Amino acid sequence: MLRVFVCLSGSCLDIYTISGGTAVSGVYTLDVAGPDVVVYCDFDSAPGCVFTYISPSTTSIDDITSLYTENDIVVLRHLRQKGKQYTADVRQITAFDGVPLSVQFNANTGYVGPINGQMGPYIHLGIVPTALIKPVPPGPATTQGWSIQGTDAAYLDCDGNPSSYFVLLLNENNEPCRTTPAGDVLAQTVESAWVTGAVDATVEIPNNFFVEDYELHFGCGALLYSTYEFGGGIGRIRGVAFGLKSNLPV
Protein backbone atom coordinates (compact mmCIF):
# COMPACT_ATOMS: atom_id res chain seq x y z
CA MET A 1 0.00 0.00 0.00
CA LEU A 2 1.42 3.39 -1.02
CA ARG A 3 1.55 5.88 1.84
CA VAL A 4 1.47 9.62 1.04
CA PHE A 5 2.28 12.21 3.69
CA VAL A 6 2.46 15.99 3.87
CA CYS A 7 5.34 16.62 6.22
CA LEU A 8 7.27 19.85 5.83
CA SER A 9 10.56 18.63 7.25
CA GLY A 10 13.87 19.25 5.54
CA SER A 11 14.80 15.64 4.73
CA CYS A 12 13.83 12.00 5.12
CA LEU A 13 16.40 11.79 7.90
CA ASP A 14 14.63 14.63 9.74
CA ILE A 15 11.31 12.81 9.37
CA TYR A 16 12.74 9.63 10.85
CA THR A 17 14.44 11.48 13.71
CA ILE A 18 11.40 13.59 14.61
CA SER A 19 9.20 10.49 14.59
CA GLY A 20 11.48 8.76 17.09
CA GLY A 21 12.16 5.99 14.62
CA THR A 22 8.51 5.19 13.86
CA ALA A 23 8.34 6.79 10.38
CA VAL A 24 7.29 4.45 7.58
CA SER A 25 8.45 4.38 3.97
CA GLY A 26 6.29 6.48 1.67
CA VAL A 27 5.84 9.67 -0.33
CA TYR A 28 6.59 12.82 1.64
CA THR A 29 6.61 16.55 0.89
CA LEU A 30 9.77 18.29 2.07
CA ASP A 31 10.59 21.94 2.65
CA VAL A 32 14.11 22.27 1.20
CA ALA A 33 14.80 25.98 1.74
CA GLY A 34 12.57 26.84 -1.19
CA PRO A 35 9.73 25.19 -3.14
CA ASP A 36 8.25 22.06 -1.57
CA VAL A 37 9.84 18.90 -2.95
CA VAL A 38 8.05 15.54 -3.22
CA VAL A 39 10.26 12.55 -2.37
CA TYR A 40 9.98 8.88 -1.57
CA CYS A 41 11.62 8.01 1.75
CA ASP A 42 12.84 4.42 1.80
CA PHE A 43 13.46 3.31 5.40
CA ASP A 44 13.35 -0.41 4.63
CA SER A 45 16.00 -1.34 2.04
CA ALA A 46 18.98 -1.43 4.42
CA PRO A 47 19.15 -1.42 8.23
CA GLY A 48 20.46 1.86 9.61
CA CYS A 49 19.97 3.75 6.34
CA VAL A 50 17.40 5.89 4.60
CA PHE A 51 17.36 6.44 0.84
CA THR A 52 15.71 9.49 -0.69
CA TYR A 53 14.25 9.41 -4.21
CA ILE A 54 13.28 12.74 -5.80
CA SER A 55 10.05 13.00 -7.80
CA PRO A 56 10.62 13.61 -11.55
CA SER A 57 8.03 16.38 -11.33
CA THR A 58 10.53 18.49 -9.35
CA THR A 59 11.47 21.77 -11.03
CA SER A 60 13.68 23.37 -8.37
CA ILE A 61 15.71 22.43 -5.29
CA ASP A 62 17.68 25.12 -3.49
CA ASP A 63 19.94 22.71 -1.60
CA ILE A 64 19.96 19.10 -2.74
CA THR A 65 22.83 18.31 -0.35
CA SER A 66 20.39 18.66 2.54
CA LEU A 67 18.68 15.47 1.34
CA TYR A 68 21.59 13.11 2.11
CA THR A 69 24.53 12.70 4.49
CA GLU A 70 26.73 10.15 2.67
CA ASN A 71 28.70 11.10 -0.46
CA ASP A 72 30.57 7.83 -1.02
CA ILE A 73 27.62 5.96 -2.54
CA VAL A 74 24.49 6.51 -4.63
CA VAL A 75 21.99 3.75 -5.34
CA LEU A 76 21.20 3.60 -9.06
CA ARG A 77 17.80 1.92 -9.42
CA HIS A 78 16.22 0.95 -12.71
CA LEU A 79 12.85 -0.33 -13.87
CA ARG A 80 12.71 -2.91 -16.67
CA GLN A 81 10.03 -3.47 -19.28
CA LYS A 82 8.27 -6.23 -17.34
CA GLY A 83 8.00 -3.98 -14.26
CA LYS A 84 10.75 -5.46 -12.09
CA GLN A 85 13.14 -3.17 -10.23
CA TYR A 86 16.90 -3.60 -9.81
CA THR A 87 19.51 -1.66 -7.88
CA ALA A 88 23.25 -1.06 -8.17
CA ASP A 89 25.47 0.62 -5.57
CA VAL A 90 27.62 3.24 -7.33
CA ARG A 91 30.98 4.18 -5.81
CA GLN A 92 34.33 5.47 -7.02
CA ILE A 93 36.76 3.03 -8.63
CA THR A 94 39.84 2.03 -6.63
CA ALA A 95 41.99 4.63 -8.41
CA PHE A 96 39.87 7.42 -6.87
CA ASP A 97 39.04 5.82 -3.54
CA GLY A 98 38.14 8.54 -1.06
CA VAL A 99 37.02 11.08 -3.69
CA PRO A 100 33.39 11.96 -2.91
CA LEU A 101 30.56 11.60 -5.40
CA SER A 102 28.64 14.76 -6.22
CA VAL A 103 24.87 15.11 -6.61
CA GLN A 104 23.65 18.46 -7.98
CA PHE A 105 20.28 19.71 -9.18
CA ASN A 106 20.30 21.44 -12.57
CA ALA A 107 24.00 22.20 -12.11
CA ASN A 108 27.33 20.44 -12.64
CA THR A 109 29.97 22.50 -10.86
CA GLY A 110 33.34 20.75 -11.11
CA TYR A 111 32.07 18.29 -13.74
CA VAL A 112 31.11 18.27 -17.40
CA GLY A 113 27.43 18.97 -18.01
CA PRO A 114 25.04 16.83 -20.07
CA ILE A 115 24.95 16.97 -23.85
CA ASN A 116 21.16 16.96 -23.55
CA GLY A 117 20.96 19.92 -21.19
CA GLN A 118 17.93 21.16 -23.14
CA MET A 119 16.06 18.26 -21.50
CA GLY A 120 16.39 19.82 -18.05
CA PRO A 121 15.97 20.35 -15.27
CA TYR A 122 18.31 17.49 -14.42
CA ILE A 123 19.82 15.63 -11.48
CA HIS A 124 23.57 15.30 -12.02
CA LEU A 125 25.62 12.51 -10.45
CA GLY A 126 29.26 13.54 -10.87
CA ILE A 127 31.75 10.73 -10.47
CA VAL A 128 35.39 11.69 -11.11
CA PRO A 129 35.84 15.52 -10.93
CA THR A 130 37.09 17.20 -14.10
CA ALA A 131 40.25 18.41 -12.36
CA LEU A 132 41.38 14.83 -11.71
CA ILE A 133 41.11 13.63 -15.31
CA LYS A 134 44.39 14.31 -17.12
CA PRO A 135 44.40 15.46 -20.75
CA VAL A 136 45.76 13.17 -23.48
CA PRO A 137 48.32 14.19 -24.68
CA PRO A 138 50.57 14.83 -22.78
CA GLY A 139 49.29 12.03 -20.53
CA PRO A 140 49.63 9.71 -18.87
CA ALA A 141 46.05 8.64 -19.50
CA THR A 142 43.61 8.54 -16.58
CA THR A 143 41.88 5.36 -15.49
CA GLN A 144 38.18 6.13 -15.69
CA GLY A 145 34.98 4.37 -14.72
CA TRP A 146 32.92 3.55 -11.64
CA SER A 147 32.44 0.82 -9.07
CA ILE A 148 29.19 -1.15 -9.36
CA GLN A 149 28.23 -3.43 -6.47
CA GLY A 150 31.82 -3.27 -5.20
CA THR A 151 33.43 -4.21 -8.53
CA ASP A 152 35.41 -1.73 -10.63
CA ALA A 153 34.21 -1.18 -14.19
CA ALA A 154 37.16 0.79 -15.52
CA TYR A 155 39.29 1.48 -18.59
CA LEU A 156 42.19 3.71 -19.66
CA ASP A 157 40.92 6.98 -21.09
CA CYS A 158 42.09 7.47 -24.67
CA ASP A 159 41.26 11.11 -25.38
CA GLY A 160 41.41 13.11 -22.15
CA ASN A 161 37.67 13.81 -22.26
CA PRO A 162 36.86 14.81 -18.65
CA SER A 163 33.24 13.63 -18.76
CA SER A 164 32.37 11.40 -15.81
CA TYR A 165 28.69 11.54 -14.92
CA PHE A 166 25.23 9.97 -14.93
CA VAL A 167 22.40 12.47 -15.42
CA LEU A 168 18.66 12.04 -14.91
CA LEU A 169 16.92 14.32 -17.43
CA LEU A 170 13.57 15.42 -16.00
CA ASN A 171 12.70 16.97 -19.38
CA GLU A 172 10.03 19.40 -18.22
CA ASN A 173 9.34 20.64 -21.79
CA ASN A 174 9.46 17.24 -23.54
CA GLU A 175 12.50 18.13 -25.63
CA PRO A 176 13.90 15.50 -28.05
CA CYS A 177 17.07 13.57 -27.18
CA ARG A 178 20.25 14.25 -29.17
CA THR A 179 22.13 11.01 -29.71
CA THR A 180 25.40 9.75 -31.18
CA PRO A 181 26.62 6.19 -31.86
CA ALA A 182 27.75 4.12 -28.88
CA GLY A 183 31.47 3.58 -28.19
CA ASP A 184 33.54 0.42 -28.68
CA VAL A 185 32.96 -2.89 -26.89
CA LEU A 186 35.09 -1.97 -23.85
CA ALA A 187 33.31 1.36 -23.44
CA GLN A 188 29.93 -0.36 -23.74
CA THR A 189 30.94 -2.83 -21.03
CA VAL A 190 31.76 0.01 -18.64
CA GLU A 191 28.70 2.08 -19.49
CA SER A 192 26.30 -0.86 -19.08
CA ALA A 193 27.78 -2.19 -15.80
CA TRP A 194 25.00 -0.51 -13.79
CA VAL A 195 22.52 -2.83 -15.55
CA THR A 196 24.51 -6.03 -15.97
CA GLY A 197 25.84 -5.81 -12.40
CA ALA A 198 22.54 -4.84 -10.75
CA VAL A 199 20.72 -7.02 -8.22
CA ASP A 200 17.02 -7.54 -7.53
CA ALA A 201 15.57 -4.72 -5.46
CA THR A 202 14.64 -5.97 -1.99
CA VAL A 203 12.14 -3.12 -1.64
CA GLU A 204 10.35 -1.40 -4.53
CA ILE A 205 9.51 2.27 -4.91
CA PRO A 206 6.55 3.76 -6.85
CA ASN A 207 6.95 3.57 -10.62
CA ASN A 208 6.28 7.30 -10.99
CA PHE A 209 9.60 8.05 -9.27
CA PHE A 210 11.54 6.73 -12.27
CA VAL A 211 12.90 9.08 -14.94
CA GLU A 212 12.54 7.95 -18.55
CA ASP A 213 15.37 10.08 -19.95
CA TYR A 214 18.97 9.82 -18.82
CA GLU A 215 22.52 10.23 -20.06
CA LEU A 216 25.82 8.63 -19.04
CA HIS A 217 29.19 9.80 -20.32
CA PHE A 218 32.77 8.82 -19.60
CA GLY A 219 35.66 9.83 -21.85
CA CYS A 220 36.88 7.81 -24.82
CA GLY A 221 33.50 7.15 -26.39
CA ALA A 222 31.67 5.76 -23.37
CA LEU A 223 28.43 7.59 -24.04
CA LEU A 224 24.95 6.22 -23.32
CA TYR A 225 21.43 7.57 -23.81
CA SER A 226 18.00 6.46 -22.69
CA THR A 227 17.29 5.12 -26.18
CA TYR A 228 20.09 2.55 -25.85
CA GLU A 229 19.01 -1.10 -26.22
CA PHE A 230 20.86 -3.44 -23.84
CA GLY A 231 21.84 -6.89 -25.07
CA GLY A 232 21.54 -10.22 -23.32
CA GLY A 233 17.75 -10.16 -23.24
CA ILE A 234 17.60 -7.22 -20.82
CA GLY A 235 15.81 -4.96 -23.27
CA ARG A 236 15.03 -1.28 -22.99
CA ILE A 237 15.05 0.31 -19.54
CA ARG A 238 11.72 1.96 -18.65
CA GLY A 239 13.16 4.34 -16.06
CA VAL A 240 15.97 5.23 -13.69
CA ALA A 241 16.14 6.76 -10.20
CA PHE A 242 18.87 7.83 -7.76
CA GLY A 243 18.71 6.78 -4.12
CA LEU A 244 20.51 9.37 -1.98
CA LYS A 245 21.81 7.85 1.24
CA SER A 246 21.67 9.05 4.84
CA ASN A 247 22.71 7.08 7.90
CA LEU A 248 20.02 6.82 10.57
CA PRO A 249 20.88 7.74 14.16
CA VAL A 250 21.84 4.81 16.37
Side-chain angles (χ1 to χ4, degrees):
M1 178 180 178
L2 178 62
R3 297 181 174 91
V4 181
F5 306 90
V6 176
C7 184
L8 295 181
S9 296
S11 68
C12 292
L13 181 59
D14 287 347
I15 291 169
Y16 185 89
T17 303
I18 293 169
S19 74
T22 63
V24 297
S25 296
V27 179
Y28 290 83
T29 301
L30 303 179
D31 179 7
V32 191
D36 296 344
V37 176
V38 176
V39 301
Y40 186 85
C41 296
D42 172 13
F43 299 112
D44 300 316
S45 285
C49 304
V50 55
F51 294 97
T52 301
Y53 293 88
I54 299 168
S55 169
S57 64
T58 303
T59 58
S60 176
I61 300 179
D62 287 355
D63 183 15
I64 195 172
T65 63
S66 67
L67 300 184
Y68 61 94
T69 65
E70 307 305 305
N71 59 16
D72 63 335
I73 179 175
V74 169
V75 171
L76 184 49
R77 180 184 291 259
H78 71 269
L79 176 67
R80 296 187 187 172
Q81 283 286 31
K82 293 184 178 180
K84 190 166 180 57
Q85 298 181 21
Y86 294 80
T87 64
D89 292 348
V90 176
R91 296 181 175 87
Q92 293 284 12
I93 57 175
T94 303
F96 294 100
D97 186 38
V99 176
L101 300 174
S102 168
V103 181
Q104 302 180 49
F105 189 86
N106 216 29
N108 51 273
T109 303
Y111 301 83
V112 172
I115 293 172
N116 285 288
Q118 82 283 357
M119 298 175 72
Y122 57 85
I123 304 174
H124 187 284
L125 170 60
I127 305 171
V128 181
T130 301
L132 298 183
I133 300 175
K134 301 179 179 66
V136 180
T142 303
T143 299
Q144 276 230 57
W146 50 357
S147 171
I148 302 296
Q149 292 298 112
T151 299
D152 284 358
Y155 66 103
L156 199 62
D157 185 18
C158 68
D159 58 7
N161 190 324
S163 298
S164 185
Y165 64 78
F166 196 119
V167 168
L168 304 184
L169 299 160
L170 307 188
N171 203 8
E172 181 181 13
N173 296 319
N174 295 314
E175 295 286 341
C177 180
R178 301 168 186 163
T179 63
T180 60
D184 59 24
V185 173
L186 177 58
Q188 291 178 29
T189 299
V190 173
E191 69 192 14
S192 63
W194 62 285
V195 174
T196 58
V199 298
D200 291 4
T202 56
V203 173
E204 295 195 345
I205 68 172
N207 285 359
N208 62 351
F209 274 79
F210 288 89
V211 175
E212 294 182 357
D213 298 304
Y214 53 90
E215 179 182 307
L216 161 65
H217 193 187
F218 294 108
C220 201
L223 182 59
L224 173 67
Y225 297 100
S226 54
T227 53
Y228 185 90
E229 292 279 0
F230 288 99
I234 294 174
R236 185 171 298 199
I237 303 302
R238 288 175 55 191
V240 187
F242 290 155
L244 310 181
K245 181 185 177 185
S246 296
N247 286 333
L248 299 175
V250 295

